[in-house]
Amino acid sequence: MDNQTDRPHPAAGTPGTTRAPRRTRRVRAAVLATALLTAGAALTACGGAGGTGSGQKASDSGIASLATPSAPGATSSAQSSTAAIEAKRPQLRLDSSQEESDRLWDAYWACLQAHGVPMNDARVDRPGEQAPPVDDPKVADQYKAQYHACLSRMPLQPVEERPETNPHYADDHRAYVGCLKSKGMKVHEVFGDDGSPDGWTYDKDVPKDGGGLPTEKIDHDCRLEAFGGKGEN
């Protein structure tokens, strides 16, 4: 299973320097959980993580704890369990409405909050809106078991925006960033250690006044223009 399923498109820059569009914050939160798609297999093979001692049983909340596997088929069982989780994850479409996308992400974040993951209340735009998790890899690492318990609710990015389901992903991503630039965004592509597209960042510092941030409409229009209809179902 590809552990880059939810590779983010925009990299919003230093947390807290400005208020990024809601979608940008969602995909930033997703990247903190992507490693858990791989770690989930290890968690299952080990009986989970996050407990206070070896051999502790899973709690009623569904968060597993440390245990030592004894069955020879632990690895294949872990892979089956991870595949089952993947099959349950909600699938976003490139043309998903903002309301539908928000509803799915809010449900995922609410699950994390219910399991005790710290929320970033400062990132709430409107009263009553679901806060995202704290955007800190150390926090995500500390709450691995809690993230794993909610993986089945984490939305999958549209098939067009996932490298493993879009053979033209690199070209489309380049076109997407090019579209943002054509709209006046001073941004450029960034790449992973393997040379694959890994989002975008600003040419200089993140705009502190928010004036250089793409709006939801600009981001949506550029995604449709660049990625439209090129994924494999």
Side-chain angles (χ1 to χ4, degrees):
M1 175 178 49
D2 193 322
N3 69 342
Q4 299 297 323
T5 300
D6 294 286
R7 185 191 300 273
H9 302 298
T14 306
T17 57
T18 189
R19 222 165 190 39
R22 186 167 169 79
R23 177 180 179 272
T24 300
R25 299 201 300 276
R26 287 197 304 270
V27 292
R28 277 184 60 77
V31 78
L32 292 178
T34 53
L36 297 175
L37 295 174
T38 298
L43 282 168
T44 307
C46 296
T52 57
S54 178
Q56 182 177 346
K57 295 182 179 180
S59 67
D60 292 337
S61 65
I63 301 173
S65 56
L66 292 174
T68 301
S70 56
T75 300
S76 59
S77 175
Q79 292 172 342
S80 298
S81 175
T82 305
I85 290 174
E86 281 286 276
K88 293 179 181 178
R89 292 176 62 189
Q91 174 68 67
L92 289 169
R93 305 180 315 279
L94 198 61
D95 63 349
S96 290
S97 68
Q98 191 63 51
E99 292 74 17
E100 179 183 1
S101 180
D102 286 347
R103 176 176 55 80
L104 294 176
W105 279 101
D106 284 349
Y108 169 57
W109 287 351
C111 178
L112 294 178
Q113 183 173 16
H115 282 77
V117 175
M119 295 287 114
N120 190 348
D121 295 324
R123 286 292 185 176
V124 173
D125 293 326
R126 296 178 295 274
E129 184 178 87
Q130 173 64 49
V134 171
D135 188 7
D136 186 338
K138 292 181 180 178
V139 173
D141 185 67
Q142 180 182 354
Y143 289 87
K144 278 183 180 179
Q146 289 85 346
Y147 269 88
H148 180 63
C150 294
L151 273 180
S152 63
R153 298 192 181 188
M154 184 170 73
L156 283 162
Q157 291 301 101
V159 292
E160 296 89 350
E161 296 182 282
R162 292 159 55 195
E164 70 274 19
T165 51
N166 180 3
H168 309 289
Y169 178 81
D171 291 337
D172 293 348
H173 186 271
R174 187 180 307 111
Y176 164 64
V177 177
C179 178
L180 292 178
K181 294 173 71 172
S182 73
K183 305 292 185 183
M185 305 297 106
K186 299 183 183 302
V187 299
H188 60 269
E189 279 190 280
V190 293
F191 301 90
D193 293 338
D194 60 356
S196 61
D198 199 22
W200 57 258
T201 191
Y202 294 95
D203 293 341
K204 297 182 179 179
D205 294 335
V206 179
K208 290 183 171 56
D209 61 0
L213 288 168
T215 63
E216 294 282 2
K217 184 179 188 314
I218 288 176
D219 183 72
H220 179 263
D221 289 349
C222 283
R223 289 169 55 228
L224 283 177
E225 177 181 315
F227 290 98
K230 297 179 182 178
E232 297 176 353
N233 293 310

